[in-house]
């Protein structure tokens, strides 16, 4: 399978070339040039597979012969072997045809582990085979950072620089990043918000001349196709565990960078009979406004109790725009310029296309806290703030009660104790055993000004050995 840029430039690339880079040279994002398609009976035949076996079935066609099948089985085995639940992604029933898909049983307690445990294995494998060293640079609103660090910490061919917004991630999130002691991991607390972090990272990918010759940047943000690919698997997993033979299934997805819900979109293109994909946002609701009212104006970022969704510019929305505009790269270039200025308007045709599958809802902190409280009372179940937003949106947007609605539980409640406490539900979640001593570990991080040159100099000063200097 080949990959092309959403902005139409350059030649089609192979899977390994796409994974070992970031944005395409024209500034676009890579997408597969075609999507494999399965019939309902093909899909139903996967019902008895384990999570690892299903991951192989779903991902292999996207990888093709870039990784021999036997090696791919090994990478998947290690990646999902680190999960703390026998079902890997268990389903929990909340009500009539209402389910929660728990995606927080990986090492860092958020769904990001599904993609980054695998991407870590994949990068290590590819770089060793090619005898190549790379620099990873990534921005995190809280969860990507720890998941990437956990996934890549043992890879000698990598140095990793993770930017998080200073004092805007939860204590648990920060400590999960800053207490990993490794020569190849650097945590940068940037004095800005998540979009500032993402801007520095994007600008660095666009011009890598601050790095020594021969070295290149690799992305671990969801602009990296491998992240999306690994997330497609659990949409199939959930559907196979509910009865989807003729019925369809719906998902509600707490959304920030649009990566997770875009994986659901790809699952639907692959033949999974998805009825609705609900885009759940917090106060930072640009996607909700865009989908519901064609309003893509940019507003100041607000800091909410669901910080992993405090994002204004959602990178992966570009991948959807590409598809609903007839895969016309030139058109996407124009749209992205408008998006940057906040003047993006979707054509009626594109909106109709999007609305066939997507709906959206904004749930603010107040409503989210109410949700945590009421679900704890009715079900004895503790939601994290992101999942609460997803469930709230699911209940608002649900088209009917016959179609199973699955809300993705993107994080463990123990990651966000402040929100849980503020909800007044009266219970607290404790961290799993492997994180028992998190608050007594020593922290390492570097606090830098929101300044691209400072960040780039910081990195350049620390990667000479990778380039053999
Ligand atoms: C990253 C994250 C999200 C948002 O996912 P996107 O793929 O960026 O849309 C939602 N919830 C949690 C807990 C996250 O870590």
């Amino acid at each position: 399978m080949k990959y092309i840029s959403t902005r139409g430039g350059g030649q089609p690339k192979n899977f390994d070339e796409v994974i070992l880079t970031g944005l395409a040279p024209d500034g676009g994002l890579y997408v597969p040039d075609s999507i494999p398609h399965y019939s309902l009976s093909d899909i139903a035949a996967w019902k008895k597979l384990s999570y690892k076996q299903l991951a192989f079935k779903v991902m292999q066609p996207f990888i093709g012969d870039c990784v021999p099948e036997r090696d791919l089985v090994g990478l998947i085995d290690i990646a999902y072997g680190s999960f703390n639940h026998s079902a890997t992604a268990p389903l929990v029933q909340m009500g009539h045809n209402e389910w929660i898909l728990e995606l927080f049983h990986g090492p860092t307690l958020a769904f990001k582990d599904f993609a980054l445990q695998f991407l870590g294995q994949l990068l290590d494998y590819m770089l060793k085979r090619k005898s190549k060293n790379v620099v990873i640079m990534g921005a995190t609103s809280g969860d990507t950072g720890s998941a990437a660090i956990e996934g890549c910490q043992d890879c000698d061919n990598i140095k990793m620089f993770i930017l998080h917004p200073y004092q805007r991630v939860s204590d648990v999130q920060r400590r999960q990043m800053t207490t990993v002691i490794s020569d190849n991991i650097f945590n940068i607390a940037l004095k800005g918000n998540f979009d500032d972090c993402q801007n520095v990272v994007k600008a660095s990918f666009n011009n890598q001349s601050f790095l020594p010759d021969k070295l290149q940047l690799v992305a671990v943000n969801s602009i990296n196709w491998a992240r999306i690919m690994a997330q497609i698997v659990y949409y199939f997993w959930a559907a196979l565990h509910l009865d989807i033979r003729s019925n369809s299934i719906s998902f509600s997805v707490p959304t920030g960078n649009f990566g997770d819900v875009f994986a659901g979109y790809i699952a639907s293109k692959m033949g999974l009979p998805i009825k609705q994909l609900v885009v759940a946002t917090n106060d930072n609701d640009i996607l909700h406004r865009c989908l519901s009212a064609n309003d893509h104006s940019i507003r100041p970022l607000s800091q909410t109790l669901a910080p992993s969704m405090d994002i204004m510019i959602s990178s992966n929305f570009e991948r959807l725009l590409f598809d609903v505009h007839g895969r016309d790269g030139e058109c996407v270039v124009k749209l992205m310029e408008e998006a940057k200025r906040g003047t993006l308007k979707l054509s009626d045709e594109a909106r109709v296309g999007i609305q066939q599958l997507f709906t959206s809802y904004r749930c603010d902190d107040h409503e989210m806290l109410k949700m945590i409280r009421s679900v704890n009372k009715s079900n004895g179940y503790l939601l994290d703030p992101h999942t609460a937003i997803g469930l709230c949106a699911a209940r608002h947007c649900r088209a009917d009660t016959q179609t199973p609605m699955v809300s993705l539980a993107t994080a463990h409640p123990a990651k966000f104790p402040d929100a849980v406490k503020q909800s007044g539900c009266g219970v607290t979640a404790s961290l799993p055993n492997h994180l028992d001593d998190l608050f007594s570990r020593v922290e390492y991080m570097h606090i830098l000004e929101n300044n691209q040159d400072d960040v780039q100099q910081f990195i350049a000063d620390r990667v000479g050995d990778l380039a053999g200097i």
Side-chain angles (χ1 to χ4, degrees), residues 190-219:
L190 193 79
K191 290 191 174 169
N193 61 31
F194 172 74
D195 285 335
D196 295 323
C197 294
Q198 186 152 269
N199 285 339
V200 170
V201 170
K202 275 195 180 157
S204 304
F205 273 88
N206 282 332
N207 183 355
Q208 304 188 13
S209 59
F210 67 100
L211 290 174
D213 276 357
K214 291 192 295 192
L215 274 186
Q216 74 183 53
L217 290 177
V218 168

Side-chain angles (χ1 to χ4, degrees), residues 94 310 436:
M94 287 285 126
D310 288 348
D436 263 355

Side-chain angles (χ1 to χ4, degrees), residues 110-112 143 254-260 308-309 311 384 386 410-411:
F111 81 94
K112 306 276 195 316
D143 296 325
T255 295
N257 238 337
F258 207 77
D260 205 3
S308 305
M309 293 157 66
I311 292 173
D384 104 289
H386 307 81
T410 50

Side-chain angles (χ1 to χ4, degrees), residues 148-176:
I149 288 169
E150 204 60 49
C152 301
Q153 60 177 324
D154 296 327
C155 183
D156 306 327
N157 304 61
I158 287 173
K159 279 206 180 173
M160 174 146 67
F161 298 84
I162 298 294
L163 284 69
H164 72 263
Y166 181 53
Q167 292 182 335
R168 286 175 185 239
V169 299
S170 82
D171 288 346
V172 175
Q173 287 180 314
R174 189 191 66 252
R175 284 183 163 273
Q176 282 183 311

Side-chain angles (χ1 to χ4, degrees), residues 7 25 34 92 96 107 116 135 143 153 167 178 211-212 215 225 227 293 325 375 419 441-442 447:
R7 301 200 188 171
S34 65
V92 177
H96 174 66
L116 284 158
V135 177
D143 296 325
Q153 60 177 324
Q167 292 182 335
T178 57
L211 290 174
L215 274 186
W225 171 255
R227 291 259 321 252
H325 288 88
V375 167
R441 294 183 197 163
V442 182
I447 302 166

